[in-house]
Structure formats: C-alpha cells, structure tokens
Amino acid sequence: MAYYYLEIIRGQEIGRRHLLKEGAITVGRSSKNMICINSVERTVSNHHAIIYKYGDSISIQDIGSTNGTYKNGTRLSEEAESLGHNDEISFGEKGPKIKLIISQTELSTTPRLKPGESQTSPGRLVSKNDETERSFRTGLEYDQNENSDALFPTRNRHSRKSECDFGYHTMELENKILNKRLSADEMNKLMKQGDRVDKIIQKGNLSETQVHFLHTSYNAQKKLKTKSATILCIVALVSLTLITFFTVRMFQYKAIVNDAVSSEKNLDKYETDISNAKKRGASEATLEELVAKFEEERDRFNSLKSNLRDKDVKRFYEDTVEFYIAEIMGRLGETDYHIPKEMVLRVKHHIGVYTGSLKPVIARYLERKKLYFPMILRIFKDKKVPLELAYVAMLESGFNPNALSHAGARGLWQFMPKTGRSYNLRVDEVMDERTNPEKATYAAAEYFLDLIGIFGGQSSMMLAMAAYNAGEGRVMGALRKIEDPVKNRDFWYIYNMGYLAEETNEYIPRVLAMMIIDQHAEQYGFKAQLPLDRNDRDNLTKENDFIPVPVHKAE
C-alpha cells in the first residue's frame, strides 16, 4: 500500500508532513481549508489551491490565488496539473514550498528538528564530588557529615542576636575554612552574609588564596543576586505585558465571536423576510432591496468568520447536514456564501426520502457507482472537470447507462438526442452512443466545460449544475434579470430572488443529498458491500429504476 504525503520543505514548520486522503483537498491560509498554511505566510492566499487525490493519481489546481502556484519552478495555469513523486509545489514564487512524497511505508508527520537543535533528557544529577570541585577550587574540602544548621541557628522572634553569638559563629566558620571542613551548604549560607565574610578576612588568619577565593565567591554571589533580581523584574514586566495583551485579544476575539453570532441571526432574519416576500408576491424591487441587505450582511459575516478558530466556526452550523453542505461548498471553491435555511431544509428532505421509501433504489445507485465512478473520475480528471460534478450522473440516471426518460433523455448522463449529437455522439436508428458509458462521459465532460466557460466566476460550479438540468438558456435568462450582474452574478443571488424554475431549485438540493449520502453511507444506513461479480453487473444495468428528473434542456 502506498502512502502519499505533502512535506513542507520551505517556510514555517519545515519537515511537517500532511497525509493525503481521498478526494479534493483545499490548501490556503484560511482555517476553512483542509490543509492550513501558517498564517504568517503572506504570499499564500486564503484559498490558494485544490489538490485532488483519487487512487494513485494526484493533481493540483490553482484557484485564482494572488501570487500563483508553482510546480518545479513553473507557474501553473488555472487548469489542474498532475503531480509525481518528489514534485515540488510553491505557493507564490518565493513562498512556502511543499514536496509530494510517495512512500511504501507510513512516515512520521512530526516536523524534523532544525540544524543545531537536539532532544535532551532532563539534566543529569550533579554529584557531591562535582559540587565540591566547583565550590572549593582552592583546596577547601566538604565535610558532609557536619551539621551546618548548628552554625546558623534560627533567630528568636522576640530578640536580636548578641554580638557574642555572632563572634562565636564567625570563629567556628573561620576554623572550618582553615581546616578545610566547610560544607557546601555552610559555604552557601556564608556567601549571603557579607558582614561575617568581612569579619573572617579582617582577622588575617586565612591564606592569600583563601581570602581571594572568599572575595571572588562573595562578589559573584552578589552579582548573581543583582542579576537575578533584574531578570525577575524583566520576566515580571514581560509577563504582565503578555497577560495584558492576551487578555485584550481574548476580549477582542469574544467580541468578534459575539458579532458573528449576531450577524448570523441577522442573516436568518433576512432570509425569512425574503421568503415571506416571495410568498406574498412582493415586487422585484422589494426583493432586490432585501437581497442587497442580505448580501451586505453576508459579506460582513464571512469576514468575521474568517477570523475564527475552526471549533468556533462549527457552532454556526446548526446540524450535521448543514456542516456537510459547507464542506461540499468548500471543495467546489465557494467562499463568499451563506447556506440558505431553505436549501438546508430541502437537502434534509431529500435525504429523508432517499433513506426512507427510496432506500432500495439508492442502494442500487451506490452499487452501480462502483462500476462507473472510477471511469467518470478518470475522464473528468483528464478533461480538467471538477470531480464533484460526477455526482450529477447519480441523480440523472442512477449510474444506469440504459436509463430512458419519458422525455427521451437517455444514458448515464441523460442526453437528449440533439444535445448528444452536438457533442459528437451518434444517435440514430442504427446506433445510440448515449448508452455507451465512456463516450457519453466524454461528451458530458465537454458539456460541463462549456457551461463553466459560460458561467465562469463566482458560483460557476453551482450555475453549471443548474444549467445541466434547465439548459444554459434558462440560467442565462435568470442572470439577465440581475440589476448589477458584475456584483451579483452568482447562483445564490438568483436562488434567493426566485429567478429559476422550482424544478431547478430542487435539482441542486437533490444532487447535494446524494453526495452526502454517498460520502457518509454508513451513517445513513447503507452498509459497505462486497465487490460485484459478473452476474451482479449484468443485473444492475437491466432495470430502468432511476428517479426521473424533469428535463428542460433545449432541443
């Protein structure tokens, strides 16, 4: 089994490895990405690139980053580029760099130590002999059996030491020094009493070497004490500054969180107002005014949310389904959006249907997916089509290449005859290549590329999915109704304004519902199945059991 890693070789956290998992992986500084680059790397955009891993195939696609994405020193276009072992990717020409590693063994993801760093065990214990050597280099030896406490008795709380006591203990210490019997503990206490040191030296009984040693030791102790006090003051000042800084930041962060919570509530209110206005048949001007307020608040909310930690971002998703939708939006490259409550409710509704009365049908969809999904992903990757769009075939035909709708749409991708011919599929009395899974998938890839080219920009993937159902003419007609097409040319605007047909508004939630069920199959009661044998394969393509989807594509 091969393991695929991205290793940081330039920038922050050099040596850290990220294990690549199946699917689309977003990269950037924003916390919403699956691989988050350190926020100090200013050459990296919030949403910089997407890495695709499907089986043993790895590719990367720049998603309109400010400073570009470079593969082995060459700047990439916005089309996906394949990656191989040891290929180097930099985010910005001089920005952080990563390398793809393909290993047959599992590697550590912990950053390697920088040059000069070392991992040391706690410091070794200092022996008494070591301490003796350090403290008495003049030849004075320790006598560890002496009771030093007898030389320095505790002061009586109600009286001062007498001169007699002071003199007696000073004399005892002097004798110990002369006879080389002073312990380390006694020496340490003596160095804290300058008047006693002066008294011993003034008596003149010590050798020149011993006097020099006492002077040196006492002055060193005094300097150390002064230095320690200075360091303590500096540490206290720095600590106070840091505490103040982080306290202020904590309050600022809480204010951002509270502001984001308030903004989220405002968005819910605007959505309710828009929904009510549509129900009572409000004028287009009224709807546009409400949507404008909604989008202004949405931009503010997204700006606040970008500054929040992941655990705090999740609190804005009321349930698991809403969070799953947000994950899908991220993989589709959506950044500036707010998932309408109505959209969440419709996705949940379809999940309920697909896991309820239609569960046997969806189970067959998932079985057929094993037959055709690898082929679809291979072709989409080859044609540079976003891989998430492969799920359109699940809704259109249930991955049944023989599916035939009442309107005449046929095959894995439910092409109408005229549309199929326009994408080089032979459709006549002798042959119908719409039922050829591979040829039909190549045609679908070309169709999606044309739709993305038409609706490029914000929400192009969502608009492309809507156009696949309704036809590009109807979606373009909806976009023409927008008063400010430069600012508001996205799916969410025409969804909120109600410019699309009801069937198309339902098409997107149905695709999302199937994506969520497939990606979380066990959670929704679909157990993992064994690989299909030949008889299973034949039986699965006989039944025309797909769920019909209203077709509006122009002939």
Side-chain angles (χ1 to χ4, degrees), residues 269-368:
K269 178 181 178 300
Y270 285 133
E271 282 183 350
T272 301
D273 291 345
I274 291 170
S275 178
N276 291 337
K278 287 193 289 188
K279 289 178 182 178
R280 67 172 183 264
S283 66
E284 188 170 315
T286 300
L287 279 175
E288 287 178 350
E289 182 180 353
L290 289 172
V291 171
K293 291 179 180 179
F294 169 82
E295 292 188 334
E296 182 179 353
E297 189 66 36
R298 181 196 65 189
D299 293 342
R300 191 172 80 89
F301 174 71
N302 286 328
S303 175
L304 292 168
K305 193 170 67 171
S306 66
N307 295 312
L308 301 183
R309 295 186 288 265
D310 286 343
K311 66 176 184 179
D312 292 318
V313 170
K314 289 182 179 179
R315 67 187 290 183
F316 296 106
Y317 301 109
E318 293 182 353
D319 56 35
T320 305
V321 170
E322 187 174 5
F323 181 68
Y324 288 158
I325 296 173
E327 286 186 322
I328 294 170
M329 293 299 105
R331 295 198 298 271
L332 288 171
E334 296 274 346
T335 54
D336 299 327
Y337 68 92
H338 177 265
I339 303 169
K341 297 296 179 185
E342 184 179 352
M343 172 71 75
V344 177
L345 290 174
R346 297 313 300 163
V347 172
K348 292 172 73 173
H349 166 77
H350 291 300
I351 289 176
V353 173
Y354 296 155
T355 57
S357 59
L358 292 179
K359 188 173 182 179
V361 176
I362 300 302
R364 291 178 68 83
Y365 282 18
L366 296 177
E367 287 297 300
R368 282 198 289 258

Side-chain angles (χ1 to χ4, degrees), residues 38 98 107-108 122 147 193 244 254 263 270 279 282 287 340 450 472-473 504 522:
N38 195 297
I98 59 177
L107 304 178
S108 170
N147 184 358
Q193 302 179 49
T244 303
K254 285 185 176 179
S263 180
Y270 285 133
K279 289 178 182 178
L287 279 175
D450 286 346
E472 59 268 31
T504 305
E522 290 192 11

Side-chain angles (χ1 to χ4, degrees), residues 101-156:
I101 297 176
I102 304 175
S103 173
Q104 296 303 313
T105 58
E106 192 169 0
L107 304 178
S108 170
T109 57
T110 304
R112 297 193 297 271
L113 294 173
K114 296 179 181 178
E117 291 183 337
S118 63
Q119 293 180 335
T120 59
S121 59
R124 68 181 181 88
L125 296 175
V126 180
S127 70
K128 293 180 179 179
N129 290 334
D130 293 337
E131 193 173 339
T132 302
E133 181 179 353
R134 285 200 308 269
S135 302
F136 290 93
R137 299 188 185 279
T138 60
L140 297 176
E141 296 178 354
Y142 291 169
D143 182 359
Q144 298 297 338
N145 296 320
E146 288 290 331
N147 184 358
S148 60
D149 291 338
L151 294 174
F152 300 100
T154 305
R155 265 187 202 178
N156 188 293

Side-chain angles (χ1 to χ4, degrees), residues 123-286:
R124 68 181 181 88
L125 296 175
V126 180
S127 70
K128 293 180 179 179
N129 290 334
D130 293 337
E131 193 173 339
T132 302
E133 181 179 353
R134 285 200 308 269
S135 302
F136 290 93
R137 299 188 185 279
T138 60
L140 297 176
E141 296 178 354
Y142 291 169
D143 182 359
Q144 298 297 338
N145 296 320
E146 288 290 331
N147 184 358
S148 60
D149 291 338
L151 294 174
F152 300 100
T154 305
R155 265 187 202 178
N156 188 293
R157 293 182 181 178
H158 306 291
S159 63
R160 300 175 59 187
K161 280 189 173 182
S162 66
E163 287 293 327
C164 181
D165 289 337
F166 183 84
Y168 171 76
H169 294 305
T170 301
M171 183 176 64
E172 287 295 313
L173 287 171
E174 180 185 15
N175 289 332
K176 289 226 173 191
I177 294 172
L178 289 170
N179 294 310
K180 302 177 182 179
R181 293 171 52 242
L182 191 68
S183 70
D185 186 53
E186 292 167 341
M187 183 66 178
N188 184 49
K189 291 181 179 180
L190 177 60
M191 290 301 100
K192 296 176 182 178
Q193 302 179 49
D195 53 349
R196 198 183 294 276
V197 173
D198 290 340
K199 189 72 172 177
I200 292 172
I201 293 174
Q202 288 171 7
K203 292 179 71 175
N205 295 324
L206 301 182
S207 68
E208 183 177 345
T209 301
Q210 290 171 331
V211 170
H212 177 73
F213 175 74
L214 282 179
H215 269 308
T216 302
S217 299
Y218 177 71
N219 289 334
Q221 176 79 8
K222 190 174 181 181
K223 288 180 180 178
L224 181 61
K225 186 176 180 181
T226 303
K227 186 176 181 180
S228 298
T230 304
I231 292 173
L232 284 174
C233 289
I234 293 172
V235 169
L237 181 61
V238 171
S239 299
L240 181 62
T241 303
L242 288 174
I243 290 171
T244 303
F245 172 77
F246 284 112
T247 300
V248 171
R249 286 299 300 270
M250 180 183 69
F251 281 108
Q252 289 176 336
Y253 184 79
K254 285 185 176 179
I256 292 174
V257 172
N258 293 334
D259 201 8
V261 170
S262 175
S263 180
E264 171 80 356
K265 291 179 180 178
N266 289 340
L267 287 173
D268 292 341
K269 178 181 178 300
Y270 285 133
E271 282 183 350
T272 301
D273 291 345
I274 291 170
S275 178
N276 291 337
K278 287 193 289 188
K279 289 178 182 178
R280 67 172 183 264
S283 66
E284 188 170 315
T286 300

